[in-house]
Amino acid sequence: MKTTFYLSLLTLTMLWISGCNPTPKITRIDPNEVTDLSGRWNDTDSRLVAEEMTRSSLEESWLRRFREKNDRRPVVIVGMILNKSHEHIDADTYIKDMEREYIKSGLVRVVTNDVFRQKLRDERADQQDFADPSTQKKFGKELGADFMVFGNISSIVDGAGRNRVIFYQVNLELADIETNELVWIGDKKIKKMVRN
């Protein structure tokens, strides 16, 4: 009798625990599928803005002028993109999206930003001590950038009752590293209505 009681108690406890911790339902979806759950900045915003801004910058006359003068593709570095919005936005994701789009275009060459550049220099320094001399990479062979992209992401939030409007603006500039001349300025606006 006692054994039956304890077995019943154990079964009820297991059922209670499983009821408190339901297994989440997970569905894999296409990374390119548009998903807006909260109205916050997301991967779709990052990708679409990067695609449009990159395309816009490559359509301007600076690219044609540079190639006519130098007979080669310009070298671009995607520098600092400051997040001035009301929410946490991982600027690295946006920077990688822009670098990817520039490389895919084949119209410019892209070099790493200062963070990864230092890691590569550290690796080259290590190779001087530890790598087979025939495979060591030399210093002084880096590709110097001709232009740098920089800018910011800002936002404005307005709300009343259960409704909110979130407005994002991405401002980017492309500057000639030697002369500081701005050769392109672009912006992209995103406006979202969120109803709860």
Side-chain angles (χ1 to χ4, degrees):
M1 188 69 182
K2 260 187 173 178
T3 306
T4 305
F5 172 75
Y6 285 123
L7 279 174
S8 299
L9 185 61
L10 180 64
T11 303
L12 286 172
T13 303
M14 295 295 288
L15 286 172
W16 180 77
I17 290 172
S18 64
C20 291
N21 298 300
T23 305
K25 183 178 179 184
I26 299 170
T27 307
R28 298 195 186 282
I29 59 175
D30 186 335
N32 293 321
E33 185 175 323
V34 176
T35 51
D36 279 313
L37 300 178
S38 65
R40 296 165 60 93
W41 178 274
N42 59 28
D43 64 312
T44 302
D45 298 320
S46 177
R47 178 173 49 82
L48 294 179
V49 172
E51 288 174 1
E52 187 169 326
M53 296 290 263
T54 306
R55 186 170 50 250
S56 170
S57 69
L58 294 174
E59 289 172 352
E60 295 295 324
S61 59
W62 69 271
L63 181 59
R64 177 183 49 78
R65 290 197 309 270
F66 181 91
R67 297 187 75 157
E68 286 175 357
K69 181 180 177 184
N70 299 283
D71 195 28
R72 65 174 174 83
R73 292 179 295 164
V75 179
V76 173
I77 180 170
V78 181
M80 186 177 291
I81 311 291
L82 291 176
N83 175 23
K84 295 183 175 179
S85 74
H86 68 287
E87 65 189 65
H88 172 73
I89 294 175
D90 186 354
D92 286 344
T93 304
Y94 182 72
I95 289 169
K96 285 298 162 200
D97 284 339
M98 283 207 73
E99 289 177 340
R100 186 179 308 108
E101 290 303 312
Y102 274 132
I103 291 170
K104 278 169 56 179
S105 77
L107 297 173
V108 298
R109 301 173 76 181
V110 178
V111 292
T112 59
N113 64 30
D114 57 343
V115 175
F116 290 102
R117 196 163 52 241
Q118 188 55 51
K119 291 183 184 301
L120 292 172
R121 287 172 181 162
D122 291 344
E123 172 60 26
R124 263 199 303 279
D126 277 354
Q127 287 190 9
Q128 308 313 307
D129 293 330
F130 303 108
D132 183 317
S134 66
T135 62
Q136 288 175 353
K137 302 302 176 283
K138 296 181 173 59
F139 283 99
K141 297 283 188 179
E142 293 182 16
L143 196 59
D146 302 298
F147 297 91
M148 178 181 282
V149 179
F150 58 93
N152 62 69
I153 303 172
S154 57
S155 66
I156 299 172
V157 180
D158 190 18
R162 301 176 65 180
N163 298 326
R164 279 186 306 145
V165 174
I166 308 173
F167 175 78
Y168 296 99
Q169 180 161 332
V170 180
N171 300 298
L172 295 181
E173 299 178 350
L174 182 66
D176 185 314
I177 290 178
E178 193 165 71
T179 65
N180 295 340
E181 179 187 8
L182 292 176
V183 297
W184 170 79
I185 297 176
D187 66 81
K188 170 68 179 172
K189 300 177 178 69
I190 297 174
K191 197 170 187 178
K192 298 180 178 182
M193 169 68 85
V194 181
R195 295 184 174 89
N196 293 315

